[in-house]
Amino acid sequence: SPLRRATQIGVLPTKIRPPTARFIPLLRLPIMRSRVLMLAIVVATAAPSIAQFPDEPTPIAEDAPPVRVDELVRQLESSASRGGDELPRAVQALARIGAWDEADRWLSAINSIPDQDVLARAARIIGHEHLLKISLHQGLSNNALSAITKMSDAAKASAESADRIKQAIDQLAGEDVDANLGANRTLLRGGESSVKLLVEAIAEGLPRNQLSKALAVLKVLGDGGPQALEQLALYGVPSARANALDALSRFDLNGATDSLVATAFSADATETERSIAMSSSIVPSDYQKADAIAFLAEKLRIAENLASQTRNDLTPANLWSVDEDRTGVTPTRSTDFFLRYRD
């Protein structure tokens, strides 16, 4: 064709154009029409949107305070209004989240309760630590502080109630797990009162199973138990001495060494006491009285040296002594200095 020949010689006639070039204007026409159509659609759709918001948008105030609804406080106050155990539970929760005005108001309501058992139960529900934290908050009303004092006093009196503690000791004789757990909780809350009554019950004599449970509670209650048992083992009536010595050796065999050695060769020891002492692994079968005297003299020297190094200050200590009947013990507030020299 003329086009191919012209291409072969390198000359493209000006009047002859490639077939494709003839249709380029026709191809451009649909593209231009579609662009115009798209622009029209955009304008048409934008117009109603602008009409929907004729005014300028309202700016948001960044420093506006957030709306706070104390729904939790409202629910807790609703619970407190029901009374019963719900009241002290709500007081504890209100104090924990810092709603002090509301906590103060409901504490004042507790202040008007006359029943000591109810006050003691409220104290146990709130908890000793929480009561202490609440009492340290600045700004509590006199009525709220009075309520805390009343609850603490009622809880202490209830925990140290001799009837409650004796009932708990009796429950240790049974095998019911829940009853034993409840008895342990009662005894552990009793503090020194529990130590006193447990030691007295041991001195009177307890079955082996009950004795084991009583000694387990005494161990948790601290040093008062072995100190009180040792006093009874040395200075109680004969029956109390034997039971206390047996319990002391079961409580802590090494700690009972001095009492066991002294009892084994004591002139006023009963046969039962000597049997308990000699049957223990602490006193050798070939041990003689002279050996016991030498051993106890050395222990006395160590105790005197320890006492001489104790500061003569007001460091507090409990001093356990036998009572007038020599069947029980009583605690006395004293100092560590006096305790060291007495022992």
Side-chain angles (χ1 to χ4, degrees):
S1 67
L3 178 60
R4 181 174 297 177
R5 289 196 300 268
T7 303
Q8 290 175 352
I9 63 176
V11 178
L12 184 63
T14 56
K15 293 184 180 180
I16 301 175
R17 291 185 296 177
T20 308
R22 298 177 184 176
F23 297 102
I24 286 178
L26 296 177
L27 293 173
R28 288 177 179 172
L29 183 59
I31 294 175
M32 292 178 62
R33 288 179 178 174
S34 84
R35 287 181 180 174
V36 172
L37 181 59
M38 290 178 63
L39 181 60
I41 293 173
V42 170
V43 173
T45 54
S49 300
I50 296 174
Q52 291 176 7
F53 302 99
D55 300 327
E56 292 293 328
T58 303
I60 299 175
E62 296 181 357
D63 57 346
V67 178
R68 180 168 177 260
V69 180
D70 290 334
E71 179 62 22
L72 177 58
V73 173
R74 187 193 67 78
Q75 292 179 3
L76 289 173
E77 289 208 90
S78 176
S79 297
S81 66
R82 300 189 190 104
D85 291 349
E86 295 296 323
L87 175 53
R89 288 196 185 100
V91 168
Q92 184 204 61
L94 288 168
R96 291 182 66 179
I97 65 175
W100 291 108
D101 291 341
E102 292 80 3
D104 188 291
R105 181 166 60 254
W106 291 108
L107 278 171
S108 299
I110 293 176
N111 187 49
S112 62
I113 297 176
D115 192 317
Q116 294 300 301
D117 290 337
V118 174
L119 289 172
R121 181 169 178 79
R124 288 195 293 269
I125 291 174
I126 296 175
H128 175 73
E129 292 185 1
H130 285 294
L131 275 179
L132 179 60
K133 291 178 181 179
I134 293 172
S135 68
L136 296 176
H137 178 71
Q138 299 293 329
L140 287 179
S141 65
N142 292 333
N143 285 335
L145 292 173
S146 174
I148 294 173
T149 301
K150 288 181 178 180
M151 284 188 287
S152 299
D153 292 344
K156 185 175 185 296
S158 175
E160 296 178 355
S161 168
D163 292 338
R164 286 172 57 86
I165 293 174
K166 289 179 180 179
Q167 183 180 5
I169 294 174
D170 292 339
Q171 287 178 333
L172 294 179
E175 298 298 330
D176 185 84
V177 175
D178 292 335
N180 285 336
L181 288 175
N184 286 339
R185 284 193 291 267
T186 299
L187 291 170
L188 292 177
R189 285 197 294 260
E192 290 179 359
S193 297
S194 292
V195 172
K196 172 181 169 61
L197 294 174
L198 278 167
V199 170
E200 290 179 1
I202 291 171
E204 291 176 3
L206 293 176
R208 290 301 182 202
N209 185 40
Q210 188 178 6
L211 175 61
S212 298
K213 296 175 185 177
L215 291 176
V217 174
L218 277 181
K219 285 185 178 181
V220 180
L221 288 171
D223 297 334
Q227 292 176 12
L229 287 172
E230 185 177 32
Q231 291 299 305
L232 268 180
L234 292 174
Y235 307 114
V237 298
S239 60
R241 290 201 309 261
N243 289 328
L245 183 64
D246 178 59
L248 189 61
S249 64
R250 294 174 182 274
F251 186 94
D252 180 8
L253 186 59
N254 291 327
T257 299
D258 295 358
S259 298
L260 290 169
V261 172
T263 301
F265 298 97
S266 175
D268 62 347
T270 65
E271 288 300 322
T272 302
E273 292 176 86
R274 288 195 184 94
S275 175
I276 293 171
M278 296 302 295
S279 62
S280 70
S281 59
I282 292 297
V283 182
S285 58
D286 59 347
Y287 218 53
Q288 300 298 317
K289 187 173 183 178
D291 298 324
I293 292 174
F295 171 80
L296 293 174
E298 177 63 17
K299 295 300 292 287
L300 178 60
R301 186 191 65 80
I302 295 174
E304 287 178 341
N305 184 46
L306 179 61
S308 65
Q309 297 178 17
T310 303
R311 296 180 59 182
N312 186 7
D313 55 18
L314 298 178
T315 302
N318 274 346
L319 201 66
W320 289 90
S321 306
V322 295
D323 57 20
E324 294 182 0
D325 297 333
R326 297 196 302 154
T327 58
V329 288
T330 55
T332 304
R333 293 287 186 271
S334 185
T335 64
D336 187 51
F337 178 79
F338 188 81
L339 176 64
R340 295 296 181 186
Y341 270 97
R342 191 207 63 168
D343 293 343

